[in-house]
Amino acid sequence: MPQTILETRNLVKRYNGFTAVDDLSFEVYEGEIFGLLGPNGAGKTTAIRTIMDIFKPDEGTITVLGEPPGVVRRRIGYLPEERGLYQDLKVLDVLVYLAQLKGTSRSTAREQSLIWLDKVELGDWANKKVQDLSRGMQQKLQFVASVVHDPQLLILDEPFQGLDPINVDLLKGLIRDLRSEGKTVMLSAHQMNLVEALCDRILLIDDGKGVLYGDLAEIKRRHAPGTVRLRTSDPLVELPGVIRVEQRDDTYTLTLEGVTAQDLLRELLERDISVGSFEVATAPLEDIFIAVVKERDDA
Amino acid sequence: MRRVLIVARHEYLVNVRRVGFIVMTLLVPLIGALGLFVAAFFGGQAASLLASTFTPEEGNIGVVDQMGAFTPLLSEYEERISLYLDEEQGRAAVREEKITTLLVIPEDYIETGKVIIISKEGGFGSAILEESDTLRAFFVDHLLRDEVDPALRQRLANPIEPVVVSLEQEGEPEGGPLSIILNMMVPYFLGMLLVMTIFVSSGYLLQGVAKEKTSRVIEILLSSVTARELLAGKVLGLGALGLTQISIWLASSVVLSGGSAGLLGISLPFMVRPQVLILGVVYYVLGFLVYAVLMGGVGALGTNQQESQQLAGIFSLMAAIPLMVSGFMFTNPNMTFVRVLSWFPLTAPTMMLLRMPMAEVPMVDVVGSIVMLIISIPIILWAGSKLFRMGLLMYGKRPSLRQIARALRQA
């Protein structure tokens, strides 16, 4: 059983009668990348702010690294959604100050800041003022500010917002590196494809409520609507259990009912239909999300 | 505590390098220097003008002695005063500017006391002459020269040489009028200094808080330190900054005004009653802490720097209230109104600084106000950091009173 780093139980946060987070319970395990997903306004940032002890929850409990929120600050790194750094200070000075507040010594803070600036290709900017950096650069700098004190748990609120594809890739690589070093990362995002590529486990929020929670691969398998993608040069005859066929050039998307993909493949081989490629399709997370939300709305 | 010091150090170092701070700090001494330069340039002329207006030229006085008691002149007056036989001769001497003023002493002087003073322009110079000690002595000496010995004549011309002893202030009188003035001035000066420090450093505190709020750095900071640590650090750092600025201003004023003011500054603490000085420092420190903490909390409530400054202005005004009412205090330093202001933590520091030197303040007021201040500082820090925390995360809108009350309730 992996160790629990972060746990919330029945978390509720209301503003002026509006419930931003509604009975949210989840766990984040050590060494994983955990995704907090949901459309804008779903309550992701509010949930993160209660975990960071910036807001007090109205109900429920939170345990971070074995303590209530606000007790362990040094071993947590935080990239808030509302971005900002001291614009008129030098890049290096900002990083050193923020790391010192997290309990890092001045010399270590300096050393680590320079190492991390190199990692995000900002090594030449250490002695420039923050305001001289472009938006994307400031975004990366902000990420560095959240990791420079070597935290055990990293909480990133919309880390990919405003980054170009090249820097998105860079950041994804850095987050994966952190996981392989044994760090735990929790990130929020509304771009499902990014989360799909990065996260081990997810929690999907809608209107402040958790609607999907668990291992990402497991979720996708659970929600896969028996779809198979088949490429063949032979004409496709009617097959048992296939209720729908979509064709684009020589690729067919088959929707199955009552049979498994395994059954279908056997059938194809028996009928000696040439198989160029055969793939059990999992639904994109986005489709799952839309389906789940629709289901909730109908209910 | 370590993080408080890191914040304090950061705030100090960042702000001490700001162009605004450096300009502000240098501007005051520069203006002072400019003033001195102007004064030195035009000052000589102005000084001689003043001197000629207020000091009659006593060397050139003529006397027409119709009464007869002034002839011959006593030898000690011969240098400055000359006798004329009749008024015509005297008037001619005034016209020819041999003398500036002519005194005609009529025959019936003893009965009427009338003396006719004739000068070219008349006016102020001759009016002053009437009050002059020399003239008084001149009359006493001549009228009584045969009857009274010189020592008594001198006493008659100047009968009172005052030495003031106060029974309320125990012990012997300390150093005369200068010490009394210093006893009042030093605390008044400390009071002004307190108000100034509050304005200067609360200005920086507001600026810093507003900037962190608009630049959104605040959320990162609050993920590392508590609002209370952050506020305390800012208060310490910016307090040190305000003191730096005021020290530079003071030092420059000592240098500019030359040795005399410098000497005065150094000797001040010795001349003031020690209990006034010690209590003054206590009130100064407590007062600064109360206000700085308050400013930080209030400053975070505004949506922008301007709004924060307006909110903070209300409180700055409170520190200045005692300065405004100091006029009343001269007449009655222990009146109820003054005592109420002495107990209220926001006015206590300045009030007590002003009040202590004027009269023996009842011990209960001293102890009471200090206890009130010491109790209120942690309370204001606690409430201030709540407001700070709430205000900083509310972008673009000012919290309602209900929200403020709610934030204070939440532990």
Side-chain angles (χ1 to χ4, degrees):
Chain A
M1 189 67 189
Q3 202 183 338
T4 303
I5 291 281
L6 168 68
E7 182 180 8
T8 76
R9 283 272 158 266
N10 310 102
L11 196 64
V12 176
K13 176 73 194 175
R14 299 186 196 91
Y15 302 111
N16 307 328
F18 165 73
T19 307
V21 171
D22 193 356
D23 198 26
L24 214 53
S25 300
F26 64 92
E27 289 175 322
V28 177
Y29 300 134
E30 185 170 23
E32 71 176 359
I33 300 178
F34 184 86
L36 198 57
L37 288 181
N40 293 326
K44 303 184 297 276
T45 296
T46 304
I48 286 176
R49 282 180 171 168
T50 54
I51 291 166
M52 290 311 300
D53 192 40
I54 287 165
F55 292 156
K56 301 283 180 199
D58 293 312
E59 287 168 36
T61 56
I62 301 170
T63 312
V64 190
L65 297 167
E67 302 282 348
V71 175
V72 187
R73 290 169 193 266
R74 294 171 65 150
R75 288 187 287 151
I76 304 176
Y78 176 43
L79 174 71
E81 189 198 24
E82 298 273 7
R83 306 288 153 76
L85 291 167
Y86 296 101
Q87 292 293 316
D88 46 1
L89 295 191
K90 286 180 185 162
V91 168
L92 188 59
D93 291 346
V94 171
L95 291 177
V96 170
Y97 175 51
L98 293 176
Q100 272 189 292
L101 285 182
K102 291 281 192 184
T104 312
S105 75
R106 174 178 292 275
S107 57
T108 313
R110 234 186 112 78
E111 207 177 289
Q112 285 300 313
S113 298
L114 290 171
I115 291 174
W116 272 100
L117 284 175
D118 276 338
K119 280 192 193 175
V120 298
E121 296 159 359
L122 290 175
D124 297 338
W125 295 81
N127 287 310
K128 296 274 194 325
K129 283 190 172 178
V130 172
Q131 63 201 10
D132 296 334
L133 270 60
S134 72
R135 247 179 94 97
M137 285 170 163
Q138 290 201 24
Q139 190 89 340
K140 289 196 284 182
L141 180 59
Q142 193 104 37
F143 172 77
V144 171
S146 67
V147 293
V148 71
H149 62 288
D150 193 29
Q152 191 179 350
L153 169 65
L154 194 60
I155 296 181
L156 309 171
D157 199 351
E158 298 278 359
F160 301 108
Q161 211 168 43
L163 283 182
D164 61 44
I166 293 169
N167 281 317
V168 166
D169 268 355
L170 175 76
L171 197 57
K172 272 158 75 177
L174 291 173
I175 292 174
R176 285 202 185 97
D177 290 348
L178 286 166
R179 174 177 56 184
S180 57
E181 286 168 25
K183 313 281 188 229
T184 308
V185 181
M186 170 175 165
L187 59 87
S188 81
H190 62 272
Q191 308 98 320
M192 306 283 173
N193 56 334
L194 282 171
V195 174
E196 232 170 336
L198 206 54
C199 293
D200 303 308
R201 291 170 65 252
I202 61 154
L203 171 68
L204 202 65
I205 311 184
D206 186 43
D207 286 337
K209 293 189 178 65
V211 291
L212 266 183
Y213 170 57
D215 186 87
L216 184 59
E218 172 71 36
I219 287 173
K220 291 177 80 164
R221 223 173 297 134
R222 205 163 54 205
H223 286 80
T227 308
V228 166
R229 248 190 294 277
L230 169 70
R231 191 162 57 80
T232 175
S233 49
D234 292 345
L236 208 59
V237 294
E238 198 165 309
L239 291 161
V242 176
I243 55 164
R244 207 158 68 102
V245 179
E246 279 173 54
Q247 184 182 4
R248 181 184 286 172
D249 300 330
D250 59 349
T251 303
Y252 300 85
T253 305
L254 309 175
T255 309
L256 310 183
E257 197 177 81
V259 292
T260 64
Q262 211 68 23
D263 294 336
L264 180 67
L265 184 59
R266 208 173 292 123
E267 185 73 28
L268 291 173
L269 294 175
E270 264 172 30
R271 296 194 184 195
D272 202 22
I273 294 171
S274 72
V275 176
S277 71
F278 185 90
E279 182 194 6
V280 181
T282 54
L285 198 52
E286 193 148 357
D287 291 357
I288 298 176
F289 175 66
I290 290 169
V292 169
V293 170
K294 254 195 194 144
E295 218 171 273
R296 256 166 42 83
D297 287 348
D298 293 345
Chain B
M1 193 58 204
R2 218 188 121 228
R3 285 182 291 204
V4 172
L5 291 179
I6 291 171
V7 174
R9 184 177 179 278
H10 173 82
E11 292 293 334
Y12 184 86
L13 287 180
V14 164
N15 285 295
V16 85
R17 289 185 214 141
R18 282 195 198 292
V19 179
F21 175 81
I22 295 168
V23 168
M24 238 340 245
T25 309
L26 295 183
L27 207 60
V28 170
L30 275 179
I31 289 172
L34 193 72
L36 271 190
F37 179 72
V38 171
F41 205 75
F42 299 103
Q45 293 170 6
S48 63
L49 187 73
L50 275 177
S52 68
T53 312
F54 289 105
T55 0
E57 290 163 55
E58 291 174 343
N60 306 317
I61 295 177
V63 171
V64 179
D65 180 19
Q66 294 170 347
M67 182 198 165
F70 299 85
T71 321
L73 279 179
L74 285 170
S75 59
E76 62 256 43
Y77 293 99
E78 272 171 4
E79 228 175 90
R80 281 171 291 167
I81 297 176
S82 29
L83 278 178
Y84 291 89
L85 288 179
D86 57 41
E87 205 178 316
E88 268 319 300
Q89 270 185 36
R91 281 175 185 258
V94 172
R95 262 193 297 278
E96 288 158 30
E97 294 187 356
K98 281 187 198 154
I99 54 173
T100 51
T101 318
L102 179 71
L103 303 182
V104 181
I105 303 166
E107 276 173 71
D108 58 352
Y109 165 75
I110 297 291
E111 290 82 43
T112 62
K114 272 184 190 154
V115 173
I116 299 156
I117 297 175
I118 299 164
S119 68
K120 222 172 175 180
E121 303 105 353
F124 205 55
S126 13
I128 287 280
L129 190 65
E130 294 171 53
E131 303 293 323
S132 134
D133 289 345
T134 318
L135 212 56
R136 199 187 313 264
F138 171 74
F139 274 75
V140 171
D141 277 344
H142 285 89
L143 291 169
L144 301 176
R145 66 171 134 190
D146 299 328
E147 286 134 80
V148 180
D149 67 277
L152 185 53
R153 289 205 307 260
Q154 204 184 334
R155 196 46 53 237
L156 283 172
N158 185 13
I160 299 174
E161 200 79 70
V163 176
V164 182
V165 178
S166 162
L167 283 181
E168 281 186 10
Q169 290 176 18
E170 288 166 43
E172 62 233 60
E174 305 151 44
L178 179 63
S179 158
I180 291 168
I181 290 170
L182 282 178
N183 269 343
M184 289 193 172
M185 264 181 56
V186 171
Y188 197 83
F189 185 70
L190 274 176
M192 293 291 289
L193 200 66
L194 176 65
V195 174
M196 250 164 83
T197 317
I198 288 166
F199 283 125
V200 169
S201 31
S202 71
Y204 287 119
L205 201 67
L206 281 176
Q207 249 175 46
V209 166
K211 202 172 263 178
E212 277 171 0
K213 191 175 170 181
T214 42
S215 73
R216 313 286 203 252
V217 189
I218 196 66
E219 209 170 324
I220 301 184
L221 295 179
L222 288 184
S223 75
S224 308
V225 296
T226 65
R228 205 172 313 171
E229 286 169 329
L230 188 61
L231 190 53
K234 281 176 178 297
V235 167
L236 281 185
L238 294 171
L241 191 75
L243 283 178
T244 305
Q245 189 168 50
I246 283 167
S247 311
I248 290 172
W249 289 349
L250 283 181
S252 69
S253 76
V254 167
V255 170
L256 285 174
S257 59
S260 60
L263 267 178
L264 192 70
I266 292 163
S267 53
L268 277 182
F270 300 107
M271 306 184 86
V272 167
R273 285 177 294 160
Q275 71 269 29
V276 169
L277 186 80
I278 291 165
L279 282 175
V281 172
V282 168
Y283 280 112
Y284 178 81
V285 170
L286 290 177
F288 173 74
L289 286 177
V290 163
Y291 270 95
V293 169
L294 189 69
M295 289 296 170
V298 171
L301 291 182
T303 55
N304 55 42
Q305 205 172 318
Q306 219 176 358
E307 210 174 274
S308 298
Q309 243 146 14
Q310 283 169 358
L311 284 169
I314 300 167
F315 292 98
S316 309
L317 209 62
M318 283 201 179
I321 286 176
L323 290 176
M324 298 175 202
V325 302
S326 58
F328 298 113
M329 259 185 330
F330 281 107
T331 48
N332 185 0
N334 289 332
M335 62 197 272
T336 316
F337 177 57
V338 169
R339 294 190 63 180
V340 169
L341 288 183
S342 305
W343 280 70
F344 183 58
L346 291 184
T347 46
T350 11
M351 194 76 250
M352 289 303 277
L353 283 174
L354 292 175
R355 196 179 152 198
M356 281 186 305
M358 291 190 191
E360 208 63 38
V361 174
M363 207 39 158
V364 60
D365 283 12
V366 174
V367 174
S369 62
I370 289 181
V371 168
M372 287 290 280
L373 277 167
I374 289 175
I375 291 174
S376 60
I377 288 171
I379 293 175
I380 296 178
L381 178 62
W382 172 82
S385 58
K386 291 280 170 211
L387 296 183
F388 190 69
R389 186 184 149 118
M390 177 192 66
L392 285 175
L393 292 172
M394 295 186 99
Y395 301 120
K397 58 174 179 178
R398 202 171 27 185
S400 66
L401 280 177
R402 238 179 73 195
Q403 283 169 312
I404 292 176
R406 210 173 101 99
L408 291 179
R409 262 206 318 276
Q410 285 180 345

